[in-house]
Amino acid sequence: MMKALVAALAFVAVSPAWAQSYARMVVIVPKPGQAEAFEKGYERHLQWHKGVQDPWTWYGWTFVLGNRINRFMDGTFGHAAADFDAAVQPAADAADNNVNVVPYADFVSHGIYQRMDAMSAGEPLPDASPFLSLTTYHIRPGQEAAFEQAVARARGTARQTWYRLQAGGEAPAYVLMRAVASFGAAATLGTPYTLSGLVDRVDNELLRYRPNLSYRP
């Protein structure tokens, strides 16, 4: 039994999928009447990333359910915190953004998140599933540890990934990601972990994956 436990702990320690991980998520709103121009400009910007051989993956989604409908979110995941000080050509990236994206859209939020593996189950998300369920939990201040422990106890084995907001938004907040195969399947998801006394508000949203607005090196 002890040998099996040691082996399991060793696997967790070396498995890159479960190493400490940080993410950046950005929400962008196309200007009125500029949705098509924004998408074309964003596609050009992704070509810039491809041209400079950016090693980071950038996922892109459009909100299709929830209060942020028709907005766009991109994100890059699976980083060490220090990675954010070593992005590829940040000045040139910003300059290309200013030419191809900024004229057609507004950047409305930008957050840094930490993946919470003790709260999660299965392979880390996001991935290229057709839809992504995004459930944001706004926690009562001072209840973060109790919330994390409650979710870890109740999580089960269904695939899910949790992120905790570290900087760039209203905290304390946690984001639950679940892969969704179809628009109709979202109707059966519901809202897990209501946890009375710990949670002030929960926002449920559904995002559609946009392959043409994503970059995978």
Side-chain angles (χ1 to χ4, degrees):
M1 175 70 73
M2 183 58 68
K3 288 182 178 180
L5 177 60
V6 171
L9 291 174
F11 174 77
V12 171
V14 301
S15 173
W18 293 105
Q20 189 177 53
S21 181
Y22 290 85
R24 284 170 51 188
M25 298 184 227
V26 181
V27 176
I28 305 171
V29 181
K31 296 180 187 294
Q34 297 294 318
E36 184 177 352
F38 159 69
E39 291 194 7
K40 290 180 178 178
Y42 194 86
E43 287 176 345
R44 292 193 298 271
H45 181 60
L46 292 181
Q47 287 301 310
W48 177 88
H49 282 271
K50 182 178 180 180
V52 298
Q53 298 182 331
D54 185 358
W56 296 6
T57 294
W58 290 90
Y59 291 94
W61 301 270
T62 299
F63 289 86
V64 294
L65 288 176
N67 295 330
R68 294 185 284 185
I69 192 166
N70 294 329
R71 296 187 177 191
F72 176 76
M73 186 175 88
D74 69 15
T76 184
F77 301 82
H79 297 282
D83 289 353
F84 299 134
D85 294 322
V88 63
Q89 300 183 29
D93 187 0
D96 191 85
N97 246 319
N98 287 336
V99 170
N100 287 308
V101 180
V102 172
Y104 313 110
D106 296 311
F107 290 72
V108 296
S109 70
H110 183 180
I112 295 177
Y113 297 78
Q114 182 180 4
R115 194 179 69 220
M116 307 300 290
D117 290 336
M119 302 167 68
S120 304
E123 287 297 310
L125 291 163
D127 60 12
S129 296
F131 293 89
L132 177 71
S133 169
L134 200 68
T135 307
T136 303
Y137 291 76
H138 300 274
I139 308 303
R140 294 184 179 180
Q143 298 299 321
E144 296 94 317
F147 178 76
E148 292 174 17
Q149 292 164 10
V151 170
R153 287 194 300 268
R155 67 179 180 172
T157 59
R159 187 184 182 196
Q160 57 183 23
T161 301
W162 284 89
Y163 289 89
R164 181 176 64 199
L165 177 66
Q166 297 293 97
E170 180 185 349
Y174 294 77
V175 173
L176 167 62
M177 290 185 175
R178 291 174 287 174
V180 184
S182 69
F183 190 85
T188 66
L189 285 176
T191 304
Y193 314 110
T194 49
L195 300 177
S196 177
L198 302 178
V199 179
D200 274 338
R201 188 176 85 252
V202 180
D203 296 320
N204 269 321
E205 299 171 298
L206 186 69
L207 289 72
R208 179 166 62 92
Y209 179 60
R210 303 296 305 276
N212 62 314
L213 302 180
S214 301
Y215 166 76
R216 307 184 76 174

